[in-house]
mmCIF file of all heavy atoms in Angstrom:
data_model
loop_
_atom_site.group_PDB
_atom_site.id
_atom_site.type_symbol
_atom_site.label_atom_id
_atom_site.label_comp_id
_atom_site.label_asym_id
_atom_site.label_seq_id
_atom_site.Cartn_x
_atom_site.Cartn_y
_atom_site.Cartn_z
ATOM 1 N N TYR A 25 23.569 37.480 -19.245
ATOM 2 C CA TYR A 25 23.274 38.922 -19.244
ATOM 3 C C TYR A 25 22.841 39.407 -20.635
ATOM 4 O O TYR A 25 22.417 40.568 -20.773
ATOM 5 C CB TYR A 25 24.489 39.711 -18.759
ATOM 6 C CG TYR A 25 25.747 39.535 -19.584
ATOM 7 C CD1 TYR A 25 26.027 40.382 -20.639
ATOM 8 C CD2 TYR A 25 26.655 38.517 -19.306
ATOM 9 C CE1 TYR A 25 27.182 40.225 -21.412
ATOM 10 C CE2 TYR A 25 27.808 38.349 -20.052
ATOM 11 C CZ TYR A 25 28.062 39.204 -21.095
ATOM 12 O OH TYR A 25 29.207 39.039 -21.848
ATOM 13 N N THR A 26 22.924 38.539 -21.655
ATOM 14 C CA THR A 26 22.441 38.920 -22.982
ATOM 15 C C THR A 26 20.949 38.625 -23.186
ATOM 16 O O THR A 26 20.366 39.055 -24.174
ATOM 17 C CB THR A 26 23.231 38.200 -24.092
ATOM 18 O OG1 THR A 26 22.991 36.791 -24.012
ATOM 19 C CG2 THR A 26 24.732 38.480 -23.986
ATOM 20 N N TRP A 27 20.338 37.883 -22.252
ATOM 21 C CA TRP A 27 18.935 37.512 -22.453
ATOM 22 C C TRP A 27 18.128 37.302 -21.179
ATOM 23 O O TRP A 27 16.891 37.453 -21.186
ATOM 24 C CB TRP A 27 18.849 36.216 -23.282
ATOM 25 C CG TRP A 27 19.483 35.029 -22.626
ATOM 26 C CD1 TRP A 27 20.799 34.642 -22.744
ATOM 27 C CD2 TRP A 27 18.882 34.077 -21.739
ATOM 28 N NE1 TRP A 27 21.055 33.517 -22.002
ATOM 29 C CE2 TRP A 27 19.888 33.131 -21.372
ATOM 30 C CE3 TRP A 27 17.599 33.916 -21.227
ATOM 31 C CZ2 TRP A 27 19.643 32.069 -20.519
ATOM 32 C CZ3 TRP A 27 17.345 32.844 -20.361
ATOM 33 C CH2 TRP A 27 18.384 31.933 -20.028
ATOM 34 N N HIS A 28 18.757 36.972 -20.062
ATOM 35 C CA HIS A 28 18.002 36.598 -18.859
ATOM 36 C C HIS A 28 17.682 37.835 -18.020
ATOM 37 O O HIS A 28 18.224 38.029 -16.934
ATOM 38 C CB HIS A 28 18.796 35.567 -18.041
ATOM 39 C CG HIS A 28 17.924 34.769 -17.124
ATOM 40 N ND1 HIS A 28 18.305 34.345 -15.865
ATOM 41 C CD2 HIS A 28 16.644 34.294 -17.263
ATOM 42 C CE1 HIS A 28 17.352 33.657 -15.304
ATOM 43 N NE2 HIS A 28 16.328 33.605 -16.137
ATOM 44 N N PHE A 29 16.779 38.651 -18.561
ATOM 45 C CA PHE A 29 16.451 39.916 -17.942
ATOM 46 C C PHE A 29 15.355 39.732 -16.872
ATOM 47 O O PHE A 29 14.770 38.657 -16.736
ATOM 48 C CB PHE A 29 16.024 40.921 -18.997
ATOM 49 C CG PHE A 29 17.078 41.150 -20.056
ATOM 50 C CD1 PHE A 29 16.819 40.891 -21.388
ATOM 51 C CD2 PHE A 29 18.348 41.611 -19.695
ATOM 52 C CE1 PHE A 29 17.801 41.081 -22.351
ATOM 53 C CE2 PHE A 29 19.328 41.805 -20.648
ATOM 54 C CZ PHE A 29 19.071 41.536 -21.990
ATOM 55 N N ASP A 30 15.110 40.788 -16.138
ATOM 56 C CA ASP A 30 14.202 40.700 -14.983
ATOM 57 C C ASP A 30 12.810 40.220 -15.359
ATOM 58 O O ASP A 30 12.115 39.643 -14.523
ATOM 59 C CB ASP A 30 14.119 42.066 -14.295
ATOM 60 C CG ASP A 30 15.412 42.435 -13.579
ATOM 61 O OD1 ASP A 30 16.226 41.524 -13.289
ATOM 62 O OD2 ASP A 30 15.612 43.631 -13.308
ATOM 63 N N ASP A 31 12.375 40.422 -16.599
ATOM 64 C CA ASP A 31 11.033 40.005 -17.006
ATOM 65 C C ASP A 31 11.032 38.655 -17.720
ATOM 66 O O ASP A 31 10.031 38.238 -18.292
ATOM 67 C CB ASP A 31 10.405 41.075 -17.908
ATOM 68 C CG ASP A 31 11.258 41.393 -19.135
ATOM 69 O OD1 ASP A 31 12.418 40.940 -19.191
ATOM 70 O OD2 ASP A 31 10.759 42.101 -20.021
ATOM 71 N N ASP A 32 12.157 37.953 -17.710
ATOM 72 C CA ASP A 32 12.294 36.686 -18.421
ATOM 73 C C ASP A 32 12.196 35.546 -17.412
ATOM 74 O O ASP A 32 13.032 35.403 -16.533
ATOM 75 C CB ASP A 32 13.639 36.648 -19.151
ATOM 76 C CG ASP A 32 13.709 35.507 -20.178
ATOM 77 O OD1 ASP A 32 13.123 34.431 -19.926
ATOM 78 O OD2 ASP A 32 14.341 35.709 -21.229
ATOM 79 N N GLU A 33 11.169 34.697 -17.560
ATOM 80 C CA GLU A 33 10.946 33.619 -16.614
ATOM 81 C C GLU A 33 11.572 32.293 -17.048
ATOM 82 O O GLU A 33 11.420 31.287 -16.354
ATOM 83 C CB GLU A 33 9.442 33.410 -16.413
ATOM 84 C CG GLU A 33 8.766 34.644 -15.769
ATOM 85 C CD GLU A 33 7.295 34.424 -15.520
ATOM 86 O OE1 GLU A 33 6.762 33.351 -15.926
ATOM 87 O OE2 GLU A 33 6.649 35.330 -14.943
ATOM 88 N N ARG A 34 12.301 32.294 -18.166
ATOM 89 C CA ARG A 34 12.992 31.082 -18.582
ATOM 90 C C ARG A 34 14.085 30.749 -17.557
ATOM 91 O O ARG A 34 14.734 31.653 -17.018
ATOM 92 C CB ARG A 34 13.592 31.267 -19.980
ATOM 93 C CG ARG A 34 12.526 31.425 -21.061
ATOM 94 C CD ARG A 34 13.155 31.675 -22.428
ATOM 95 N NE ARG A 34 13.854 32.954 -22.474
ATOM 96 C CZ ARG A 34 14.560 33.388 -23.539
ATOM 97 N NH1 ARG A 34 14.633 32.611 -24.613
ATOM 98 N NH2 ARG A 34 15.163 34.551 -23.508
ATOM 99 N N PRO A 35 14.317 29.482 -17.274
ATOM 100 C CA PRO A 35 15.237 29.125 -16.184
ATOM 101 C C PRO A 35 16.701 29.281 -16.577
ATOM 102 O O PRO A 35 17.094 29.103 -17.729
ATOM 103 C CB PRO A 35 14.910 27.656 -15.902
ATOM 104 C CG PRO A 35 14.385 27.146 -17.219
ATOM 105 C CD PRO A 35 13.661 28.282 -17.841
ATOM 106 N N HIS A 36 17.505 29.590 -15.565
ATOM 107 C CA HIS A 36 18.962 29.540 -15.669
ATOM 108 C C HIS A 36 19.484 29.049 -14.334
ATOM 109 O O HIS A 36 18.941 29.408 -13.275
ATOM 110 C CB HIS A 36 19.562 30.918 -16.002
ATOM 111 C CG HIS A 36 21.026 30.878 -16.281
ATOM 112 N ND1 HIS A 36 21.983 31.042 -15.287
ATOM 113 C CD2 HIS A 36 21.716 30.656 -17.434
ATOM 114 C CE1 HIS A 36 23.185 30.936 -15.826
ATOM 115 N NE2 HIS A 36 23.056 30.714 -17.120
ATOM 116 N N ARG A 37 20.513 28.238 -14.343
ATOM 117 C CA ARG A 37 20.939 27.575 -13.109
ATOM 118 C C ARG A 37 21.420 28.529 -12.026
ATOM 119 O O ARG A 37 21.355 28.223 -10.845
ATOM 120 C CB ARG A 37 22.031 26.551 -13.408
ATOM 121 C CG ARG A 37 23.353 27.138 -13.880
ATOM 122 C CD ARG A 37 24.342 26.054 -14.194
ATOM 123 N NE ARG A 37 25.591 26.561 -14.721
ATOM 124 C CZ ARG A 37 26.533 25.810 -15.274
ATOM 125 N NH1 ARG A 37 26.343 24.493 -15.381
ATOM 126 N NH2 ARG A 37 27.627 26.336 -15.730
ATOM 127 N N ASP A 38 21.910 29.727 -12.421
ATOM 128 C CA ASP A 38 22.367 30.684 -11.414
ATOM 129 C C ASP A 38 21.212 31.364 -10.678
ATOM 130 O O ASP A 38 21.411 31.916 -9.589
ATOM 131 C CB ASP A 38 23.244 31.757 -12.058
ATOM 132 C CG ASP A 38 24.575 31.207 -12.520
ATOM 133 O OD1 ASP A 38 24.915 30.080 -12.090
ATOM 134 O OD2 ASP A 38 25.260 31.866 -13.315
ATOM 135 N N GLY A 39 20.021 31.338 -11.276
ATOM 136 C CA GLY A 39 18.877 31.979 -10.667
ATOM 137 C C GLY A 39 18.967 33.498 -10.618
ATOM 138 O O GLY A 39 18.235 34.149 -9.882
ATOM 139 N N VAL A 40 19.864 34.075 -11.417
ATOM 140 C CA VAL A 40 20.081 35.510 -11.428
ATOM 141 C C VAL A 40 19.450 36.096 -12.683
ATOM 142 O O VAL A 40 19.562 35.533 -13.772
ATOM 143 C CB VAL A 40 21.591 35.857 -11.423
ATOM 144 C CG1 VAL A 40 21.823 37.341 -11.549
ATOM 145 C CG2 VAL A 40 22.238 35.310 -10.161
ATOM 146 N N THR A 41 18.749 37.215 -12.545
ATOM 147 C CA THR A 41 18.266 37.947 -13.692
ATOM 148 C C THR A 41 18.969 39.301 -13.728
ATOM 149 O O THR A 41 19.517 39.767 -12.730
ATOM 150 C CB THR A 41 16.739 38.146 -13.667
ATOM 151 O OG1 THR A 41 16.372 38.812 -12.455
ATOM 152 C CG2 THR A 41 16.025 36.810 -13.756
ATOM 153 N N TYR A 42 18.925 39.945 -14.887
ATOM 154 C CA TYR A 42 19.693 41.164 -15.132
ATOM 155 C C TYR A 42 18.766 42.309 -15.554
ATOM 156 O O TYR A 42 17.787 42.099 -16.268
ATOM 157 C CB TYR A 42 20.739 40.923 -16.222
ATOM 158 C CG TYR A 42 21.762 39.890 -15.826
ATOM 159 C CD1 TYR A 42 21.495 38.519 -15.964
ATOM 160 C CD2 TYR A 42 22.990 40.265 -15.285
ATOM 161 C CE1 TYR A 42 22.422 37.569 -15.581
ATOM 162 C CE2 TYR A 42 23.927 39.317 -14.901
ATOM 163 C CZ TYR A 42 23.633 37.968 -15.051
ATOM 164 O OH TYR A 42 24.549 37.026 -14.661
ATOM 165 N N ASP A 43 19.134 43.491 -15.104
ATOM 166 C CA ASP A 43 18.387 44.675 -15.506
ATOM 167 C C ASP A 43 18.642 44.924 -17.003
ATOM 168 O O ASP A 43 19.789 45.100 -17.411
ATOM 169 C CB ASP A 43 18.834 45.864 -14.671
ATOM 170 C CG ASP A 43 18.121 47.144 -15.077
ATOM 171 O OD1 ASP A 43 16.932 47.273 -14.779
ATOM 172 O OD2 ASP A 43 18.768 47.991 -15.736
ATOM 173 N N ARG A 44 17.581 44.984 -17.772
ATOM 174 C CA ARG A 44 17.713 45.129 -19.220
ATOM 175 C C ARG A 44 18.429 46.439 -19.579
ATOM 176 O O ARG A 44 19.350 46.456 -20.422
ATOM 177 C CB ARG A 44 16.345 45.060 -19.885
ATOM 178 C CG ARG A 44 16.408 45.095 -21.415
ATOM 179 C CD ARG A 44 14.995 45.155 -21.990
ATOM 180 N NE ARG A 44 14.217 43.982 -21.678
ATOM 181 C CZ ARG A 44 14.168 42.891 -22.448
ATOM 182 N NH1 ARG A 44 14.876 42.824 -23.556
ATOM 183 N NH2 ARG A 44 13.418 41.867 -22.093
ATOM 184 N N LYS A 45 18.032 47.510 -18.970
ATOM 185 C CA LYS A 45 18.596 48.816 -19.325
ATOM 186 C C LYS A 45 20.088 48.874 -19.047
ATOM 187 O O LYS A 45 20.862 49.466 -19.817
ATOM 188 C CB LYS A 45 17.883 49.915 -18.550
ATOM 189 C CG LYS A 45 18.296 51.324 -18.939
ATOM 190 C CD LYS A 45 17.480 52.362 -18.207
ATOM 191 C CE LYS A 45 17.890 53.759 -18.635
ATOM 192 N NZ LYS A 45 17.083 54.806 -17.924
ATOM 193 N N ALA A 46 20.544 48.229 -17.980
ATOM 194 C CA ALA A 46 21.962 48.275 -17.618
ATOM 195 C C ALA A 46 22.800 47.320 -18.445
ATOM 196 O O ALA A 46 24.039 47.458 -18.486
ATOM 197 C CB ALA A 46 22.114 47.932 -16.140
ATOM 198 N N ASN A 47 22.167 46.349 -19.128
ATOM 199 C CA ASN A 47 22.929 45.312 -19.836
ATOM 200 C C ASN A 47 22.697 45.311 -21.342
ATOM 201 O O ASN A 47 23.167 44.419 -22.030
ATOM 202 C CB ASN A 47 22.575 43.942 -19.258
ATOM 203 C CG ASN A 47 23.172 43.735 -17.880
ATOM 204 O OD1 ASN A 47 24.326 43.363 -17.751
ATOM 205 N ND2 ASN A 47 22.382 44.015 -16.840
ATOM 206 N N GLN A 48 21.987 46.326 -21.826
ATOM 207 C CA GLN A 48 21.824 46.499 -23.264
ATOM 208 C C GLN A 48 22.194 47.934 -23.632
ATOM 209 O O GLN A 48 21.908 48.860 -22.873
ATOM 210 C CB GLN A 48 20.379 46.258 -23.703
ATOM 211 C CG GLN A 48 19.961 44.815 -23.746
ATOM 212 C CD GLN A 48 18.545 44.640 -24.302
ATOM 213 O OE1 GLN A 48 17.719 45.532 -24.267
ATOM 214 N NE2 GLN A 48 18.281 43.454 -24.826
ATOM 215 N N VAL A 49 22.813 48.073 -24.800
ATOM 216 C CA VAL A 49 23.134 49.397 -25.298
ATOM 217 C C VAL A 49 22.861 49.395 -26.807
ATOM 218 O O VAL A 49 23.113 48.403 -27.486
ATOM 219 C CB VAL A 49 24.584 49.786 -24.982
ATOM 220 C CG1 VAL A 49 25.582 48.852 -25.650
ATOM 221 C CG2 VAL A 49 24.879 51.233 -25.399
ATOM 222 N N THR A 50 22.317 50.495 -27.299
ATOM 223 C CA THR A 50 22.010 50.625 -28.722
ATOM 224 C C THR A 50 23.117 51.444 -29.398
ATOM 225 O O THR A 50 23.537 52.476 -28.873
ATOM 226 C CB THR A 50 20.650 51.303 -28.916
ATOM 227 O OG1 THR A 50 19.643 50.506 -28.287
ATOM 228 C CG2 THR A 50 20.316 51.446 -30.398
ATOM 229 N N LEU A 51 23.541 50.976 -30.540
ATOM 230 C CA LEU A 51 24.614 51.641 -31.266
ATOM 231 C C LEU A 51 24.290 51.577 -32.756
ATOM 232 O O LEU A 51 23.824 50.552 -33.258
ATOM 233 C CB LEU A 51 25.943 50.907 -30.991
ATOM 234 C CG LEU A 51 27.234 51.559 -31.444
ATOM 235 C CD1 LEU A 51 27.468 52.896 -30.745
ATOM 236 C CD2 LEU A 51 28.419 50.620 -31.160
ATOM 237 N N SER A 52 24.538 52.678 -33.450
ATOM 238 C CA SER A 52 24.282 52.687 -34.886
ATOM 239 C C SER A 52 25.210 51.700 -35.573
ATOM 240 O O SER A 52 26.309 51.386 -35.082
ATOM 241 C CB SER A 52 24.509 54.097 -35.465
ATOM 242 O OG SER A 52 25.886 54.413 -35.462
ATOM 243 N N THR A 53 24.790 51.174 -36.716
ATOM 244 C CA THR A 53 25.622 50.227 -37.447
ATOM 245 C C THR A 53 26.937 50.875 -37.866
ATOM 246 O O THR A 53 27.990 50.229 -37.832
ATOM 247 C CB THR A 53 24.880 49.696 -38.674
ATOM 248 O OG1 THR A 53 24.455 50.795 -39.489
ATOM 249 C CG2 THR A 53 23.664 48.882 -38.259
ATOM 250 N N GLU A 54 26.879 52.134 -38.248
ATOM 251 C CA GLU A 54 28.122 52.837 -38.635
ATOM 252 C C GLU A 54 29.026 53.037 -37.421
ATOM 253 O O GLU A 54 30.245 52.882 -37.521
ATOM 254 C CB GLU A 54 27.761 54.180 -39.244
ATOM 255 C CG GLU A 54 28.945 54.918 -39.831
ATOM 256 C CD GLU A 54 28.552 56.171 -40.568
ATOM 257 O OE1 GLU A 54 27.347 56.511 -40.596
ATOM 258 O OE2 GLU A 54 29.446 56.829 -41.160
ATOM 259 N N GLY A 55 28.425 53.351 -36.268
ATOM 260 C CA GLY A 55 29.215 53.514 -35.048
ATOM 261 C C GLY A 55 29.876 52.203 -34.621
ATOM 262 O O GLY A 55 31.029 52.194 -34.191
ATOM 263 N N ALA A 56 29.140 51.100 -34.728
ATOM 264 C CA ALA A 56 29.720 49.797 -34.381
ATOM 265 C C ALA A 56 30.859 49.456 -35.319
ATOM 266 O O ALA A 56 31.922 48.975 -34.875
ATOM 267 C CB ALA A 56 28.631 48.726 -34.447
ATOM 268 N N ALA A 57 30.682 49.720 -36.595
ATOM 269 C CA ALA A 57 31.739 49.438 -37.555
ATOM 270 C C ALA A 57 32.986 50.259 -37.261
ATOM 271 O O ALA A 57 34.121 49.772 -37.390
ATOM 272 C CB ALA A 57 31.254 49.719 -38.974
ATOM 273 N N ALA A 58 32.808 51.497 -36.865
ATOM 274 C CA ALA A 58 33.945 52.350 -36.554
ATOM 275 C C ALA A 58 34.720 51.821 -35.347
ATOM 276 O O ALA A 58 35.954 51.833 -35.325
ATOM 277 C CB ALA A 58 33.463 53.794 -36.288
#
């Protein structure tokens, strides 16, 4: 779920891809540190 998104054709044995928007979140460096 960190890389095998719906537009990624690289193989994975599960054959499952993940929605990028639902599995990525952006956070400021200061917010992450907090």
